[in-house]
Amino acid sequence: GIDTHGGDHITVTGNVVEDCRSGIVMTAYAATVGEQAAPNYCTVTGNTVRRNSATIPDVDVSRGILFTGANTDSVMGQSNTVIGNTVEGYGNTAAPTSATGALEIQYQDSITVNDNVIVDAGRVGVLIQSCDNFDVSNNSIRNIRGTSAAQAVGVFTFTGQPSAAETITVNGRVYIFDTDITIGVDLETTLTNAETVLNASTDGRVLMATYTSDA
């Protein structure tokens, strides 16, 4: 969909890429020995990369977003960022040793991978290979297709209406009643309000689950 080779201070932002074998590729320039350049100080942010499994067979699916240096420790990408992107349907379901990641990072030094949403990945959501000083945090990964792992389930139980300033905590994110969640005329309405707020969250710690209320 979008492909760069080498380059400094490149920004790829706000694009929608659909049904391409690879979505966004930030890779190295390596024409001949002695002529190598990795992408440095580049940013991939706010993009949506998706593919339809009925359009592209699993065996042909590559990475949704790929950041890579020149396959050598001496020419690594420097200080790149991958923030706030959505990747749907990428990565294959091959065995772990040959799987491609929906979001894949190779030969990078000081790369930041934050606040991305990865849905319906193959076997690996985020694959990190031969990198130094990386920060991978606050990403949401849902529905890995190449595994049969069980889904986590949790329950909040209310014995009555919460009071203003009381809180609930979802995976480290604190919600305050009557500040973040409106207290309704009855418990049923309050829980419906909570369901709406939680399901609308863009916080990677919260949106990895879905929420239903039962008054």
Side-chain angles (χ1 to χ4, degrees):
I2 297 172
D3 186 20
T4 71
H5 292 254
D8 294 345
H9 300 286
I10 296 170
T11 298
V12 178
T13 183
N15 301 282
V16 177
V17 179
E18 295 184 312
D19 289 336
C20 293
R21 184 177 187 274
S22 297
I24 298 172
V25 176
M26 311 290 284
T27 189
Y29 169 75
T32 61
V33 175
E35 297 181 20
Q36 297 183 335
N40 299 307
Y41 310 103
C42 296
T43 299
V44 174
T45 182
N47 301 282
T48 297
V49 181
R50 65 171 69 98
R51 70 94 172 173
N52 183 339
S53 59
T55 303
I56 304 177
D58 182 83
V59 68
D60 293 329
V61 174
S62 189
R63 296 91 172 168
I65 297 175
L66 171 65
F67 245 111
T68 183
N71 298 338
T72 171
D73 289 343
S74 63
V75 188
M76 299 178 74
Q78 299 290 325
S79 301
N80 295 303
T81 58
V82 185
I83 297 177
N85 302 281
T86 299
V87 179
E88 301 179 14
Y90 273 89
N92 61 32
T93 57
T97 53
S98 57
T100 57
L103 195 161
E104 189 161 322
I105 309 299
Q106 304 175 352
Y107 301 99
Q108 298 291 307
D109 188 4
S110 300
I111 190 166
T112 300
V113 182
N114 295 164
D115 300 309
N116 300 285
V117 177
I118 297 169
V119 183
D120 293 331
R123 183 176 291 273
V124 181
V126 179
L127 177 61
I128 308 293
Q129 177 181 346
S130 299
C131 295
D132 295 332
N133 306 309
F134 54 87
D135 172 15
V136 178
S137 60
N138 206 35
N139 301 284
S140 174
I141 302 172
R142 303 198 302 269
N143 301 338
I144 297 293
R145 292 179 286 116
T147 177
S148 59
Q151 176 181 346
V153 176
V155 177
F156 290 94
T157 300
F158 290 77
T159 58
Q161 278 272 52
S163 301
E166 285 193 306
T167 65
I168 58 172
T169 302
V170 180
N171 200 23
R173 168 67 161 90
V174 178
Y175 288 89
I176 304 171
F177 283 99
D178 258 5
T179 299
D180 302 310
I181 299 172
T182 302
I183 297 175
V185 295
D186 53 27
L187 180 59
E188 181 177 3
T189 305
T190 301
L191 296 185
T192 298
N193 293 341
E195 175 187 344
T196 300
V197 169
L198 293 174
N199 284 321
S201 175
T202 58
D203 189 314
R205 295 168 294 178
V206 178
L207 58 75
M208 67 177 66
T210 54
Y211 305 89
T212 58
S213 58
D214 178 1

